[in-house]
Amino acid sequence: MLDYTHEDWKSRAGQIGFRSKAFIDGRFVDAVSGKTFDSINPATGEVLTQVAECDAADIDLAVAAGRRAFEDGRWSRMAPGDRKAVLLKLAELIRANLEEMALLDSLDMGKLVTDAATIDAPGSAHFFQWYAEAIDKVYDEVAPTGPGDLALISRVPLGVVGAVTPWNFPLDMATWKAAAALAAGNSVVLKPAEQSPLSALRLAELASEAGVPDGVFNVVPGFGHTAGQALGLHMDVDCLAFTGSTVIGKKFMEYSGQSNLKQVWPETGGKSPNLIFADCEDLDAAADMAAFGIFFNQGEVCSANSRLYVDRRIKDAFVEKMIARAEAMQPGDPLDPRSKMGAIVDEKQTQGIMGFVEAGRKTANLVAGGERVTVEGKGCFVQPTIFDDVAHDDPLARDEIFGPVLSIVPFESEDQAVAMANDSIYGLAASVWTDNLSRACRVADRLQVGTVSVNTVDALSAQTPFGGMKQSGFGRDLSLHSLEKYTALKTTWIKYRA
């Protein structure tokens, strides 16, 4: 795939098939209402397929299937080694269908197919493999007690886990939730974003092929205000894992209180700062990664480094480097390996981004981009855009834009840089660029975020937790820590004759 041409990818895209029905209890089914909605390619405006528009009735069926599967133990009480073997097979099936999975996400939400093929789809396989390998390596505990007492502390699956995932990384976000929840022994009901349900539906089919029993992994496409709300309010859902906007994350917290007090694990918005200090010797590397940090995936990344704080002594020179990189990263057909950015997910998101850009023209200095463009007269594309000399209280520097828009703010001192970085309702991630080890550690300690990347951006792995602080939510994906939200601690106390 790495040597595919634009024509190769277009040819393969023309041959791909779409799973468009809900996947409930091991089979594809129409929505109970019979309704469908259009899945639209944002790069062309063309309708890819009509997808089942599920609502509360379908959520009821999926949750009931998940509950039956959990209670009869077909997965929840399967031997750890056997569950491990199934998820390892799923990882291999994702790898065997890598090209298809990459195309589904590229066509559905506009990301570069080369990114989907080299980052997203392989990442999904890796995360399933990683959690599969963890299944038989997570141990329970024996508490210290006196003679005649044996106290066992075990982690047990919760039951039915609801997962609501966003459109920016459709396959990966579905995997981040499902891999850990399934590894822990739960049943899963996944509601993918309505803008990008296709890879999740194919993932469910692959999971069934790998040996995940019927009813254990269900995918119910639909809209947030119907299917998503029904999942959040359902009295038989034990846990709800959510990635998306802060506003909707708060809604799910409300739904928990209105229903059965289900656990809710929100991973929500971000406005991540990137601090460039004058003692960073390799400013070209810093500029390369700063551009990646905001323009990768069209800026549609919750942890995108959208606030760039630069020491005033090097600010002008650094801005020139950023302009050059923005000019070299113009959007194009997502299926063209030569394209540097893809399409924005839909018309609504595109208009929202351009609203910020138009307002910013009046308050800051636009130095790069700022235009909506088309490819062959079609599509939702926005140029990589940079505003310089942005006031710290400008919406450009405060609000989550979720697009390729960078705000540059100068600072005079380390204290000022840290204070501005922390002055945000969000606390998901941050980056720090310095060759002073003491400064790197000192600033990292002071930043109020879930992940600090030093001399890189947006560092993550299966081994480390991903999530934030403040209104970025408190849910954690990845690492063994994510298993904690899909399990409960259970104590079994045994009295015996000593």
Side-chain angles (χ1 to χ4, degrees):
M1 287 183 292
L2 295 179
D3 59 353
Y4 280 2
T5 66
H6 189 193
E7 291 303 317
D8 290 334
W9 280 117
K10 288 199 294 185
S11 174
R12 284 160 172 78
Q15 301 167 22
I16 200 167
F18 303 114
R19 280 69 175 172
S20 57
K21 297 182 179 183
F23 192 84
I24 299 175
D25 207 9
R27 61 193 182 97
F28 285 110
V29 295
D30 292 322
V32 171
S33 68
K35 293 181 180 179
T36 63
F37 63 92
D38 291 341
S39 178
I40 298 172
N41 182 344
T44 64
E46 298 170 354
V47 175
L48 297 168
T49 188
Q50 282 82 38
V51 179
E53 183 182 333
C54 297
D55 56 26
D58 306 278
I59 294 294
D60 284 344
L61 292 174
V63 172
R67 179 61 61 192
R68 286 193 300 272
F70 182 76
E71 294 295 342
D72 69 23
R74 67 187 77 166
W75 182 254
S76 58
R77 291 195 291 275
M78 184 184 287
D82 293 339
R83 272 192 280 128
K84 170 183 174 178
V86 171
L87 293 189
L88 285 175
K89 184 175 180 181
L90 176 54
E92 289 308 309
L93 285 172
I94 294 170
R95 292 189 178 101
N97 294 274
L98 209 64
E99 177 184 298
E100 178 187 8
M101 303 305 282
L103 279 167
L104 287 173
D105 275 2
S106 179
L107 294 171
D108 213 10
M109 62 73 57
K111 68 168 64 240
L112 295 178
V113 72
T114 50
D115 284 347
T118 59
I119 300 173
D120 297 43
S124 178
H126 171 69
F127 292 127
F128 268 110
Q129 178 177 341
W130 196 87
Y131 279 105
E133 293 288 2
I135 288 173
D136 57 3
K137 300 175 183 66
V138 177
Y139 289 81
D140 295 329
E141 304 170 25
V142 178
T145 58
D149 290 308
L150 176 64
L152 309 175
I153 304 169
S154 53
R155 282 204 168 272
V156 297
L158 292 173
V160 178
V161 172
V164 179
T165 53
W167 45 258
N168 56 336
F169 292 94
L171 179 60
D172 270 1
M173 292 298 98
T175 295
W176 285 19
K177 309 300 187 192
L182 291 172
N186 298 284
S187 299
V188 174
V189 178
L190 170 66
K191 205 295 282 185
E194 60 268 23
Q195 297 90 340
S196 57
L198 300 181
S199 61
L201 292 168
R202 179 65 172 128
L203 178 64
E205 187 176 38
L206 293 179
S208 181
E209 183 179 342
V212 174
D214 293 351
V216 172
F217 185 36
N218 309 276
V219 177
V220 188
F223 293 94
H225 65 278
T226 51
Q229 183 183 60
L231 196 57
L233 288 170
H234 206 286
M235 295 296 291
D236 205 25
V237 170
D238 301 289
C239 170
L240 194 291
F242 170 75
T243 295
S245 72
T246 296
V247 170
I248 303 302
K250 291 178 180 180
K251 282 286 187 186
F252 279 109
M253 298 290 286
E254 293 176 13
Y255 297 154
S256 172
Q258 293 167 12
S259 56
N260 61 341
L261 284 180
K262 63 177 63 65
Q263 296 182 38
V264 175
W265 297 100
E267 193 271 286
T268 51
K271 190 70 177 177
S272 298
N274 188 359
L275 283 60
I276 314 294
F277 288 95
D279 56 16
C280 171
E281 293 185 5
D282 194 347
L283 291 179
D284 284 322
D288 287 341
M289 293 305 290
F292 174 84
I294 182 59
F295 300 136
F296 169 67
N297 208 50
Q298 304 75 246
E300 297 166 323
V301 182
C302 57
S303 54
N305 286 208
S306 53
R307 292 186 286 154
L308 186 63
Y309 295 102
V310 187
D311 190 311
R312 190 178 292 279
R313 291 171 292 176
I314 61 170
K315 197 265 291 183
D316 289 344
F318 199 79
V319 169
E320 290 302 314
K321 294 179 184 294
M322 293 304 299
I323 292 172
R325 284 156 178 79
E327 291 175 346
M329 296 184 71
Q330 296 304 304
D333 184 346
L335 298 181
D336 189 343
R338 296 167 297 182
S339 298
K340 303 303 181 184
M341 287 201 326
I344 304 301
V345 68
D346 62 14
E347 182 65 29
K348 179 181 178 181
Q349 183 67 17
T350 304
Q351 291 184 11
I353 294 168
M354 292 310 299
F356 277 102
V357 172
E358 294 309 312
R361 291 178 186 271
K362 303 173 184 177
T363 61
N365 181 22
L366 178 66
V367 296
E371 300 294 336
R372 177 177 180 170
V373 296
T374 61
V375 174
E376 298 181 0
K378 300 177 182 178
C380 299
F381 297 90
V382 174
Q383 292 178 324
T385 298
I386 300 175
F387 286 95
D388 190 16
D389 295 318
V390 177
H392 180 59
D393 60 355
D394 191 309
L396 288 172
R398 309 292 294 180
D399 297 343
E400 185 176 35
I401 299 173
F402 223 68
V405 180
L406 178 66
S407 299
I408 299 179
V409 182
F411 65 81
E412 308 289 344
S413 67
E414 179 182 306
D415 284 345
Q416 184 191 27
V418 172
M420 290 193 294
N422 284 338
D423 183 19
S424 171
I425 67 170
Y426 300 113
L428 185 52
S431 292
V432 179
W433 290 82
T434 176
D435 285 327
N436 183 317
L437 179 60
S438 293
R439 168 171 279 159
C441 295
R442 184 171 62 241
V443 172
D445 283 346
R446 296 175 66 190
L447 289 171
Q448 299 164 2
V449 298
T451 297
V452 179
S453 302
V454 178
N455 294 335
T456 186
V457 300
D458 214 13
L460 62 83
S461 75
Q463 292 86 349
T464 54
F466 180 89
M469 301 177 182
K470 299 190 278 189
Q471 292 191 49
S472 289
F474 49 85
R476 289 293 185 274
D477 289 313
L478 306 182
S479 82
L480 293 179
H481 292 286
S482 69
L483 296 174
E484 296 165 9
K485 66 176 184 271
Y486 300 123
T487 55
L489 289 175
K490 182 176 184 177
T491 298
T492 302
W493 195 295
I494 303 170
K495 283 260 182 203
Y496 65 93
R497 290 185 295 275

